[in-house]
Amino acid sequence: LQPPEKPLQAEEWNRLRESFQSPEIFEEVMLNSMVKCNSPIDVAKSLLTHVAKSNGDIAYTLLVKYLALCVQHGQTSEIHDVYDIMKMRFKILDSGAYNLVIRGLSNSDQWRMALTVLEEVKKIMNPSRTNYESCIRAASRHQEMNLAFELYHEMLAKDLVPTLDILQALFDFSRGLKGAELQKELFGILLYLRENQIYPHKTFMWSIKLWFESIPGGNWRGHLTNIKDSGQCPVCNHQLEDSDLTEEEYNNLRERIIKDVIHGTDTFRKTSPQEFETFQTFVENRLPFDIVIDGLNVSHIKPRKLQCENLFDAVNCLAKKNARLLVLGRKHMLINSSNWKREIMREMQNKAEFFFAENISEDDAFLLYATLQSGKHCKFVTRDFLRDHKACLSDSVTRHLFRKWQRGHQIVLKKILLSVFIQQPAFCYDVVVQTTGDTWHIPYKDAFEEKYSYQIPRKWLCIQQKW
């Protein structure tokens, strides 16, 4: 439905409405089309005037669509008017409408009004991440960094996870500004990245580098580099933190994972306590393993290849150095089928121990248990990020240890040819933001890629303070 280019009279709107196949939704479809085509405001206004005269009032959904168009055009006074009308008629709006009002006002010279609306939202519902980020961006744009960080901390306190874009904006708008407090806040964001194992993408990394180099009298210099396998930075010769846990840390982590994750609430939803007991006995009688493999997960590496062949290639690749392998499988793998050939399964069972769980079982708990019981040297193979289990751990110290252990023990397999794998090995140094005070080392990715966040970056930004 193509919107008209200029305002129409009542009879013209009526004619258009009658010629439309579903007249009862004509106004909604027309306003959607106007938003899509970024139609002039006065064209939309003429439709709403016509609706108001015909029906006596304007439906909530139509007002929201009109509001979206006003935001697109940056029509601040119109946003105010629509918001006032909606408040008078509906008392409470939905989060989508509040998002639009806050975004529209944040982008205008009346951006402080967005803060007033944010306060109104707080009285009736939890503001969304978008609400906060619109206000943070507005405050930052006007160099009100104290206010921006106040909102940022409020957002974190409400367990809202900031987007990388807003974190980048805080660095961009702080460039060249003085103040120890501001520096402390931005260092705090870097520590937040460390704590949550977040890797900035390249454009965010450049913002961090430029901010450091812009600090008045700071003498910071940044260089892009690759860390040596030994964990030494070629730029500043600094040795990065070891990825290994101490004996005490490892034992604490193992106890907590067994208590919180394995015997916690989530494991037995998909497996029975009896099956898990059978598995524990199986593992205890065969310890220790060198590598534990999530068989079903690995069997999907190459989509156009048989699942058993994918797993066979992986087992062959990992068994080379006489490693003791445990493959976690499912019972359906033992039934001869197009995907699971009996002779290939037999050959694999000569090279690795197999445990076949029920077809509905949750593999991750088995994977974690067998790896942790085998000792500090044992690695594991899965393409999953194990986010859910991290969330089950009740305190940040244990979550941090879990992520550190994961970074040092998770092997990622990538297929490069029909049967050739490359392993992304577990590193001997910890791939996470780290600082010594006068150096910062920040691992970064080339592109923003949420989907494959288990892959650890190889590129680093080294920042040194030179005196």
Side-chain angles (χ1 to χ4, degrees):
L1 189 62
Q2 196 59 33
E5 286 171 21
K6 56 184 198 315
L8 302 184
Q9 299 301 322
E11 60 275 11
E12 293 174 296
W13 281 121
N14 279 332
R15 267 203 305 277
L16 268 180
R17 187 178 198 273
E18 280 153 23
S19 66
F20 186 63
Q21 61 206 37
S22 309
E24 70 283 358
I25 56 164
F26 167 75
E27 288 81 8
E28 280 207 31
V29 176
M30 178 56 83
L31 275 163
N32 278 341
S33 185
M34 287 180 182
V35 171
K36 207 170 172 182
C37 302
N38 204 20
S39 295
I41 291 286
D42 55 355
V43 177
K45 222 172 187 174
S46 81
L47 173 61
L48 290 190
T49 307
H50 168 63
V51 170
K53 281 179 182 165
S54 309
N55 304 348
D57 69 355
I58 302 168
Y60 182 85
T61 50
L62 299 186
L63 284 169
V64 173
K65 291 178 198 306
Y66 178 61
L67 181 59
L69 190 64
C70 295
V71 170
Q72 258 173 230
H73 280 281
Q75 292 282 339
T76 313
S77 60
E78 205 64 14
I79 294 168
H80 271 299
D81 292 349
V82 179
Y83 181 50
D84 287 342
I85 291 166
M86 290 176 88
K87 270 199 308 186
M88 245 163 34
R89 283 202 32 217
F90 305 104
K91 301 291 180 268
I92 292 176
L93 316 186
D94 72 315
S95 60
Y98 284 123
N99 278 347
L100 284 168
V101 174
I102 290 175
R103 192 172 87 221
L105 294 174
S106 293
N107 290 330
S108 75
D109 53 359
Q110 295 183 39
W111 64 276
R112 285 184 188 279
M113 285 294 300
L115 300 172
T116 311
V117 178
L118 181 67
E119 289 306 315
E120 288 170 20
V121 173
K122 281 185 208 172
K123 288 173 191 160
I124 45 177
M125 63 173 80
N126 277 328
S128 67
R129 167 165 85 179
T130 314
N131 294 158
Y132 274 107
E133 295 202 344
S134 296
C135 294
I136 291 170
R137 205 177 281 280
S140 303
R141 204 182 295 117
H142 292 85
Q143 305 277 271
E144 299 247 2
M145 298 314 294
N146 288 347
L147 174 58
F149 276 104
E150 208 176 293
L151 291 163
Y152 165 71
H153 288 299
E154 202 174 288
M155 181 181 166
L156 291 182
K158 290 185 189 297
D159 283 334
L160 295 170
V161 177
T163 58
L164 292 190
D165 278 355
I166 204 68
L167 298 180
Q168 185 182 338
L170 288 165
F171 279 92
D172 286 340
F173 289 116
S174 300
R175 211 175 288 166
L177 299 183
K178 269 188 169 149
E181 197 50 44
L182 179 63
Q183 264 188 59
K184 196 173 147 200
E185 289 287 11
L186 290 154
F187 287 163
I189 292 180
L190 296 176
L191 295 173
Y192 172 82
L193 298 180
R194 172 191 169 88
E195 188 56 39
N196 293 284
Q197 194 186 328
I198 296 167
Y199 302 122
H201 46 78
K202 200 184 237 172
T203 49
F204 184 10
M205 178 275 295
W206 276 109
S207 294
I208 294 169
K209 180 181 185 294
L210 291 171
W211 170 72
F212 266 103
E213 292 174 346
S214 79
I215 298 171
N219 291 325
W220 291 94
R221 282 289 160 268
H223 298 274
L224 310 190
T225 187
N226 292 314
I227 302 296
K228 295 176 185 172
D229 288 345
S230 64
Q232 191 183 43
C233 170
V235 178
C236 64
N237 297 322
H238 180 73
Q239 186 67 31
L240 294 194
E241 292 172 34
D242 198 327
S243 67
D244 231 5
L245 304 188
T246 65
E247 210 63 51
E248 190 185 354
E249 285 174 332
Y250 182 79
N251 290 334
N252 286 346
L253 178 68
R254 187 175 61 183
E255 279 167 30
R256 287 305 296 278
I257 286 185
I258 287 170
K259 181 170 164 286
D260 289 0
V261 178
I262 293 169
H263 295 313
T265 50
D266 73 336
T267 309
F268 298 127
R269 278 185 211 148
K270 294 185 185 166
T271 186
S272 68
Q274 291 81 359
E275 182 180 43
F276 200 76
E277 272 175 35
T278 307
F279 175 68
Q280 283 177 295
T281 309
F282 172 92
V283 168
E284 298 306 326
N285 290 337
R286 291 165 179 79
L287 284 174
F289 297 103
D290 298 313
I291 302 172
V292 182
I293 302 165
D294 181 342
L296 199 60
N297 183 287
V298 168
S299 73
H300 289 96
I301 282 183
K302 194 98 174 172
R304 285 191 295 278
K305 200 162 182 193
L306 291 185
Q307 289 177 17
C308 61
E309 288 178 357
N310 275 329
L311 185 55
F312 183 70
D313 291 344
V315 167
N316 273 345
C317 164
L318 294 163
K320 278 177 186 157
K321 293 174 185 168
N322 294 326
R324 294 200 65 230
L325 309 184
L326 168 62
V327 180
L328 302 173
R330 297 288 175 86
K331 287 193 172 159
H332 72 255
M333 294 176 177
L334 292 168
I335 301 164
N336 199 24
S337 67
S338 58
N339 250 321
W340 296 100
K341 304 278 185 212
R342 189 164 284 150
E343 62 277 15
I344 295 179
M345 290 303 293
R346 274 205 201 103
E347 200 175 332
M348 269 194 278
Q349 284 169 278
N350 293 330
K351 299 184 178 205
E353 293 278 0
F354 271 75
F355 181 85
F356 296 97
E358 290 297 336
N359 294 330
I360 54 163
S361 296
E362 175 59 74
D363 298 34
D364 291 355
F366 290 74
L367 182 81
L368 290 173
Y369 181 81
T371 310
L372 285 160
Q373 288 298 90
S374 291
K376 272 172 72 174
H377 73 289
C378 186
K379 307 280 193 280
F380 64 92
V381 183
T382 178
R383 296 183 301 152
D384 282 349
F385 200 43
L386 309 179
R387 275 184 200 281
D388 297 349
H389 303 298
K390 183 195 76 194
C392 296
L393 296 165
S394 48
D395 66 282
S396 62
V397 175
T398 314
R399 281 198 294 271
H400 181 75
L401 284 180
F402 177 69
R403 273 189 293 263
K404 185 173 178 178
W405 173 76
Q406 182 184 356
R407 288 191 295 271
H409 290 77
Q410 183 165 2
I411 295 171
V412 174
L413 289 177
K414 287 197 293 194
K415 197 118 196 177
I416 48 169
L417 296 168
L418 275 177
S419 62
V420 179
F421 281 102
I422 50 167
Q423 290 181 52
Q424 181 166 325
F427 294 95
C428 70
Y429 56 90
D430 200 5
V431 183
V432 67
V433 173
Q434 39 191 281
T435 181
T436 59
D438 58 1
T439 68
W440 282 86
H441 287 90
I442 298 164
Y444 68 93
K445 296 195 162 189
D446 275 331
F448 175 70
E449 42 168 40
E450 179 54 35
K451 197 179 169 199
Y452 296 108
S453 43
Y454 58 77
Q455 291 188 350
I456 286 172
R458 307 296 306 247
K459 297 181 174 181
W460 289 75
L461 168 64
C462 162
I463 301 172
Q464 279 175 284
Q465 195 168 29
K466 294 276 177 67
W467 295 110

